[in-house]
Amino acid sequence: MVTSRDHVRLCLFVVLLLAQGFPKTSATNYTSLSVAFVYFATASDLGWTWRMNQGRIYMHERLGETFPDVVVKTSYYENTPEPLPPNCPPVWEKLGKEEQDIVFGTSWGQQFCMVEMVEKYPKTLWFHVSGYLQPKVPNWGVGHAPRSPPPPPARGGGGAP
C-alpha cells in the first residue's frame, strides 16, 4: 500500500534535487519557485489524488521553511481528462506557457500528453508519477513512490479474537 508519507517523500525528493541549485547560503538563482500538480480527480477523493495533494501541501510548507527567501507557489488542477495526443487538455499548454518550474502529472494516462510538452517547453521540469515513458530530454522525470510491504496474513482464519 502506498502511503501519503510515500508521496510526500517523492515530492520532496524531486524538489530538493532542484533545490541543490540554490542552497540556503545563496538563493541567487531563484527568488520564486512554482510547482503545479495536475490531478485526474478531485483533491478531496480520499484516495490517490487526496494523498498527492497532501504531499503538495507538505512540500509547500517544508520548502517555505527550508528556503525562507524563496517564494514558493504551488497550484493544482482537478478533474483533468486523460485523452491521447493530439487531444491533450489545454492545462498542459497553459502550464508550459507559464513556464512553471515543475509540473507533476499524477496519473498514468497523463504521461502521453506530458511527453508532448517536454520539448516544446524546455524551461519546465515535467515529472510524472507512476509512468514508464522515458524521452531522452533533460527536463523529464518519472518516479514511483516506494510501496509498503503487505501486512502479514491473519492467524487463526480471521474473525474476532
Side-chain angles (χ1 to χ4, degrees):
M1 179 172 106
V2 179
T3 67
S4 58
R5 187 173 297 219
D6 295 328
H7 292 298
V8 168
R9 287 182 190 141
L10 179 62
C11 291
L12 283 174
F13 171 74
V14 172
V15 175
L16 291 176
L17 278 177
L18 290 176
Q20 290 181 14
F22 54 101
K24 277 186 181 179
T25 56
S26 65
T28 56
N29 293 342
Y30 288 90
T31 56
S32 65
L33 180 68
S34 59
V35 184
F37 288 74
V38 181
Y39 303 143
F40 73 99
T42 64
S44 61
D45 73 351
L46 296 180
W48 175 263
T49 302
W50 178 82
R51 289 177 185 226
M52 293 300 289
N53 199 51
Q54 294 301 302
R56 178 191 67 82
I57 293 166
Y58 184 77
M59 179 195 68
H60 186 129
E61 293 168 354
R62 294 294 300 188
L63 281 174
E65 293 170 7
T66 306
F67 302 102
D69 296 334
V70 177
V71 176
V72 178
K73 178 186 171 214
T74 63
S75 57
Y76 64 95
Y77 300 84
E78 300 175 298
N79 297 317
T80 304
E82 300 176 309
L84 293 174
N87 301 314
C88 297
V91 67
W92 302 112
E93 288 281 346
K94 175 185 183 305
L95 295 171
K97 286 178 183 174
E98 290 175 354
E99 294 185 351
Q100 294 282 326
D101 294 304
I102 309 169
V103 175
F104 283 97
T106 61
S107 72
W108 191 85
Q110 294 174 338
Q111 66 185 318
F112 306 103
C113 286
M114 291 179 74
V115 165
E116 293 289 312
M117 300 294 122
V118 295
E119 289 185 19
K120 194 171 181 179
Y121 300 105
K123 293 182 179 179
T124 297
L125 172 61
W126 301 88
F127 192 87
H128 189 265
V129 178
S130 78
Y132 69 90
L133 297 177
Q134 296 287 337
K136 304 266 188 261
V137 291
N139 62 323
W140 174 259
V142 174
H144 297 271
R147 302 206 180 263
S148 303
R155 295 181 182 206

